[in-house]
Amino acid sequence: MTKINDFAPAKINLTLHVLGQRPDGYHLLDSLVVFADFGDRIEVSPNSELALSVDGPFADGVPTGEENLVLKAARLLDPVRGASIHLHKELPSAAGIGGGSSDAAATLRALGEMWGMPLPGNAMTLGADVPMCLDPKAARISGAGEGRMPVEGLPAMPAVLVNPRVGVPTPAAFKGLATKNNAPMPDVIPDFADVIAAADWLAGQRNDLSAPAREIAPVIEDVLAVLDDALLARMSGSGATCFGLYPDTETAQQAALRIAAKRPDWWVAPVTLNP
């Protein structure tokens, strides 16, 4: 076994309710998370030293030193063993879609397979999003991110992701919250017949980071405005990426083409959000 590849999909917060804050600073969440069929790729192969290379549309600015979350993930799994890790970066950074966390999770899966090691139980030390990215399937996330309950009954959802190439630091978005003790989602997430029913229910939920993120990056309003033909348009995570849900793949693809033509300086991706 010389090379192992793993996929690091974009993580989308369909909802993000902030319920409070723990004494250690972590915020308490109630979030419905799904993963797209679009993302980064990790390739690992044996090597005497630990080394990271990066390419792809968003490779510029990605650090390749020990501060990179991919290398931190490798060191968490084994503090001394070497490997060559290649990251193909398709997702923008600081975009609210868990790119770095998903990369770290994919690294843990790939190196765990190559080294014959189980996934670590302390992935939370890499960041609150990493544990939920280890098993990239629809889930209701609770606590600071470590609580995970699989969610059944979600349809595949055609969507368009739009990022204005403006980063929003997650700590700044949380710091800007006017109220940190907000209401959770309903106790039961219903089964949905289709994406139209899902969008209708989701419209009654929230992303509590939307307001502070818009204060940091007012362009988010413009992003939501170009998604005005969607069944539902909402910011993901701490922004600035927003998603629009569409009734079918063709409609989503046409919307992506329209937005890309109107704003060629933005990142636009038609995707399917998987159940």
Side-chain angles (χ1 to χ4, degrees):
M1 187 179 295
T2 56
K3 292 183 179 180
I4 294 174
N5 292 276
D6 209 304
F7 180 52
K11 173 191 69 69
I12 305 301
N13 297 88
L14 294 175
T15 70
L16 202 167
H17 295 210
V18 181
L19 310 187
Q21 187 172 16
R22 300 191 325 200
D24 63 4
Y26 279 107
H27 289 82
L28 300 172
L29 308 177
D30 186 16
S31 180
L32 179 56
V33 168
V34 294
F35 292 84
D37 62 351
F38 186 90
D40 299 337
R41 291 206 167 269
I42 289 284
E43 181 183 87
V44 302
S45 57
N47 194 41
S48 58
E49 303 292 332
L50 186 62
L52 173 65
S53 59
V54 185
D55 70 2
F58 287 95
D60 287 351
V62 175
T64 56
E66 291 291 338
E67 70 273 28
N68 190 291
L69 204 57
V70 164
L71 293 178
K72 289 182 178 181
R75 287 294 181 227
L76 179 67
L77 196 61
D78 190 305
V80 297
R81 202 178 307 200
S84 288
I85 306 173
H86 182 73
L87 168 61
H88 181 73
K89 195 70 183 153
E90 289 278 356
L91 299 176
S93 301
I97 52 178
S101 296
S102 194
D103 294 342
T107 300
L108 291 173
R109 290 192 300 267
L111 289 178
E113 182 179 348
M114 188 172 75
W115 291 341
M117 299 178 66
L119 295 176
N122 59 342
M124 185 83 174
T125 61
L126 297 171
D129 281 356
V130 177
M132 68 184 80
C133 292
L134 284 173
D135 185 16
K137 297 183 179 68
R140 184 173 188 165
I141 302 301
S142 60
E146 74 279 10
R148 181 183 179 279
M149 180 181 297
V151 172
E152 307 290 341
L154 290 182
M157 291 180 276
V160 177
L161 306 182
V162 182
N163 182 278
R165 298 182 188 268
V166 172
V168 177
T170 299
F174 275 106
K175 186 177 180 180
L177 278 168
T179 304
K180 296 188 177 182
N181 297 293
N182 302 292
M185 289 188 290
D187 290 341
V188 177
I189 298 173
D191 293 344
F192 302 110
D194 52 29
V195 65
I196 296 173
D200 183 63
W201 184 86
L202 289 167
Q205 312 308 314
R206 313 182 308 274
N207 180 339
D208 289 332
L209 294 182
S210 290
R214 288 197 301 270
E215 289 292 322
I216 298 167
V219 69
I220 292 171
E221 295 281 6
D222 299 329
V223 177
L224 291 169
V226 300
L227 291 164
D228 60 354
D229 62 338
L231 298 169
L232 172 75
R234 176 170 289 159
M235 191 184 81
S236 176
S238 57
T241 303
C242 298
F243 64 88
L245 301 182
Y246 289 86
D248 55 69
T249 299
E250 182 178 355
T251 306
Q253 291 174 339
Q254 290 300 316
L257 290 172
R258 173 183 59 79
I259 295 167
K262 183 176 183 180
R263 295 304 305 253
D265 52 327
W266 289 0
W267 176 74
V268 183
V271 302
T272 298
L273 303 180
N274 294 313

